[in-house]
Amino acid sequence: NMMFRRVRDSLGESVILDGTGADELFYGYPRFTPYYIAEQLRENPIKSLKDLKNYRHHLSAYSYREILRVLTSGLYSNSHSMPELDHQPDFDRPLTLVEAGESNLEEYNFPHILHVLEKSRGEYGHEIRLPFLSAQLKRRLDETYPGENFDSGLTKYLLRDAFTEDI
């Protein structure tokens, strides 16, 4: 909050744009990458294996296990006995990039963040705007395929592309 006061005092600005929500809406977290890779491997295995090297900085041992879980999810069901594998599928976890994004938004506590920002606004006389938590933006993004947010190892590609000239 001291930073906000300094910005207001030195620049005379009282409105601050906050990036809260961008990672959730544009699939920016590394936890989304395994779902994207698994979908690409299903569609075009040869090309996807070549492109996998672009995402290696996002992948951990957990990520590789998650890719394997998503790819093998259709082989088993809750009613069948599972062979002994080190990646026993969890049937309650998401299986697609869309499902992962939706479950993340459900878990993300937007009201809490808005409350904290509202409280800080009153203390120092500045206004914080959250452009990425706009319902209009969310509706627009729902019309696009989440995989468009990944390109050549980058996440949040749509957002990065939109601001290329400004950066």
Side-chain angles (χ1 to χ4, degrees), residues 45-116:
I46 303 301
K47 181 184 180 303
S48 298
L49 286 173
K50 290 178 183 175
D51 291 342
L52 190 60
K53 68 182 182 304
N54 293 330
Y55 294 94
R56 69 178 175 266
H57 61 282
H58 285 279
L59 300 175
S60 62
Y62 168 79
S63 298
Y64 288 107
R65 290 173 56 124
E66 194 66 5
I67 292 169
L68 190 56
R69 180 189 70 81
V70 171
L71 287 174
T72 60
S73 65
L75 301 176
Y76 311 106
S77 70
N78 285 326
S79 60
H80 295 103
S81 63
M82 301 276 300
E84 289 300 318
L85 299 172
D86 67 342
H87 70 283
Q88 298 291 333
D90 180 352
F91 294 102
D92 295 331
R93 294 208 333 259
L95 292 174
T96 67
L97 188 57
V98 173
E99 289 175 9
E102 289 171 358
S103 103
N104 185 66
L105 286 174
E106 288 172 10
E107 293 173 17
Y108 196 62
N109 193 350
F110 287 118
H112 173 71
I113 288 172
L114 295 175
H115 171 72
V116 169

Side-chain angles (χ1 to χ4, degrees), residues 25 35 77 122 125 137 167:
L25 292 178
Y35 296 100
S77 70
L137 176 62
I167 296 177

Side-chain angles (χ1 to χ4, degrees), residues 26 148-149 151 154-167:
F26 291 94
E148 293 179 34
N149 284 297
D151 185 42
L154 294 175
T155 58
K156 296 187 282 187
Y157 179 74
L158 290 176
L159 185 61
R160 293 170 199 270
D161 190 45
F163 291 100
T164 300
E165 293 178 13
D166 297 327
I167 296 177

